[in-house]
Amino acid sequence: MRIRINPVYGKELKMKVRSVKFALTIFLFNLMLGIVAITGFEVMFNMHLNPYVDYSGAAKVFYILVSMEILTVIFLIPSFTAGSIAGEREKQTLDILLTTTLTPGEIIMGKLMSSISMVFLLVVSSLPIISIVFTIGGIGMEDMLLFMLEILIISFFIGSMGMLASTVLKKTVQATVCSFAQIVLVCGGTVVVVIVTYIAAKLYYYNCMGAVGSMPDVSSVLFILLINPAFTIVQMTARHCESVSVISKAAGMLNGSMPSTIVDNWFRLSMISQMIVTVILLRISAILLKPTRKKKTVS
């Protein structure tokens, strides 16, 4: 039996992998990672002239490289997905695409999967550099698989934002700006909400209660950080490199505590939360793309 491949996915993937720009991106990306890895190992082995191997130092280098890759993905995905539908509008080929037997959902998924495949290819190309850490120790295969899973889920999450912007807006530039604005809102806005809640609790404690009793427990606001991929990276890196839980410290500042089950499973909970949001955003994009739906696109 022949495996049916989404035709939009096949077409977009062929066009992108043949691009000189993408080959140059892979080269520069791996060159940057290689320089960071060599510098990290040089500092780790020779800075203090230790006669032994510092395995915790190797883990730190690994998570620095992982964090760099994830941040690169966060900034690359919008540039790939923002022009997916908006670009078809600009080339006046969207109406032709909508007259095919493909459903709006299949078109959205084909465009998204081609963009994610390109980013995933970028990540896979960097595995030889990342795997240098295995020659020293301190990092296991489970850490590597966890890293790959996180990259994949964050790619879908960020990509769904770009697809929504590309569906709503007519111009690629507008869609790209909107995609980055959504990322800033999710990564920075959620942190701002936590900070504002902390300040409001402090003001209530001193002005309304007269500093009598205890400050109200507002640690539940931290659950909004489950959809923040940047905070997920920080929590994961701090937990593995410094054995410190950022979420537990933040809960303490908010006069509360986070249950150990949630702290231990924060990564899994954040991935589930981001996938739920991803499904919702992709569903909205498919609904907005329906040709039979009367809609006004933002110019």
Side-chain angles (χ1 to χ4, degrees):
M1 294 179 63
R2 292 183 61 186
I3 299 175
R4 182 178 180 273
I5 298 176
N6 187 311
V8 174
Y9 169 73
K11 171 182 170 290
E12 292 284 329
L13 193 61
K14 288 178 182 177
M15 291 177 60
K16 288 177 179 176
V17 295
R18 293 171 181 172
S19 170
V20 177
K21 179 181 176 182
F22 182 69
L24 187 61
T25 302
I26 290 180
F27 171 73
L28 293 176
F29 178 69
N30 284 287
L31 178 63
M32 177 187 67
L33 284 182
I35 292 173
V36 173
I38 292 172
T39 304
F41 288 126
E42 178 68 21
V43 171
M44 182 180 67
F45 285 123
N46 297 326
M47 186 173 182
H48 302 293
L49 299 177
N50 292 326
Y52 57 87
V53 176
D54 183 5
Y55 293 103
S56 63
K60 290 178 182 178
V61 173
F62 172 77
Y63 282 105
I64 288 173
L65 294 175
V66 166
S67 299
M68 286 180 60
E69 290 211 24
I70 294 176
L71 289 175
T72 303
V73 167
I74 290 176
F75 284 101
L76 273 182
I77 285 285
S79 63
F80 286 151
T81 57
S84 297
I85 304 299
E88 296 287 349
R89 283 200 183 95
E90 289 178 332
K91 293 182 291 186
Q92 298 183 349
T93 55
L94 180 60
D95 290 337
I96 298 175
L97 187 60
L98 291 172
T99 58
T100 63
T101 57
L102 294 172
T103 65
E106 289 176 329
I107 295 173
I108 292 291
M109 285 304 300
K111 294 281 188 180
L112 178 62
M113 288 300 297
S114 65
S115 299
I116 290 177
S117 295
M118 300 303 292
V119 173
F120 208 65
L121 180 60
L122 194 69
V123 173
V124 170
S125 71
S126 68
L127 286 181
I129 297 175
I130 299 291
S131 299
I132 293 175
V133 183
F134 283 101
T135 62
I136 301 171
I139 295 296
M141 185 58 67
E142 182 182 352
D143 298 302
M144 182 67 75
L145 294 176
L146 197 66
F147 153 66
M148 299 294 288
L149 176 63
E150 184 173 12
I151 285 280
L152 188 61
I153 292 178
I154 289 178
S155 297
F156 273 103
F157 181 56
I158 300 297
S160 65
M161 298 181 192
M163 292 306 304
L164 180 61
S166 186
T167 303
V168 173
L169 300 171
K170 283 185 177 181
K171 304 294 183 180
T172 300
V173 174
Q174 295 175 344
T176 303
V177 172
C178 182
S179 299
F180 281 110
Q182 291 179 79
I183 294 173
V184 172
L185 183 63
V186 170
C187 295
T190 51
V191 176
V192 170
V193 169
V194 173
I195 294 173
V196 169
T197 303
Y198 172 74
I199 294 173
K202 279 281 189 182
L203 291 175
Y204 173 78
Y205 175 63
Y206 285 109
N207 296 333
C208 298
M209 297 182 63
V212 177
S214 59
M215 194 179 98
D217 179 3
V218 290
S219 59
S220 57
V221 73
L222 292 173
F223 285 107
I224 195 175
L225 296 175
L226 286 170
I227 62 170
N228 187 332
F231 183 81
T232 302
I233 300 169
V234 172
Q235 168 70 7
M236 180 188 72
T237 305
R239 194 94 192 265
H240 285 80
C241 294
E242 304 294 338
S243 298
V244 174
S245 174
V246 179
I247 192 67
S248 297
K249 285 185 171 292
M253 291 177 60
L254 295 171
N255 200 40
S257 61
M258 195 64 64
S260 58
T261 51
I262 294 177
V263 173
D264 295 338
N265 296 285
W266 184 267
F267 175 80
R268 296 181 182 86
L269 292 173
S270 63
M271 294 297 101
I272 292 171
S273 302
Q274 290 169 30
M275 285 306 297
I276 291 173
V277 176
T278 297
V279 171
I280 293 172
L281 293 180
L282 291 178
R283 181 59 181 165
I284 293 173
S285 300
I287 292 173
L288 293 175
L289 193 61
K290 282 184 179 180
T292 55
R293 179 182 176 275
K294 294 181 180 180
K295 61 179 183 298
K296 293 181 180 181
T297 54
V298 179
S299 59

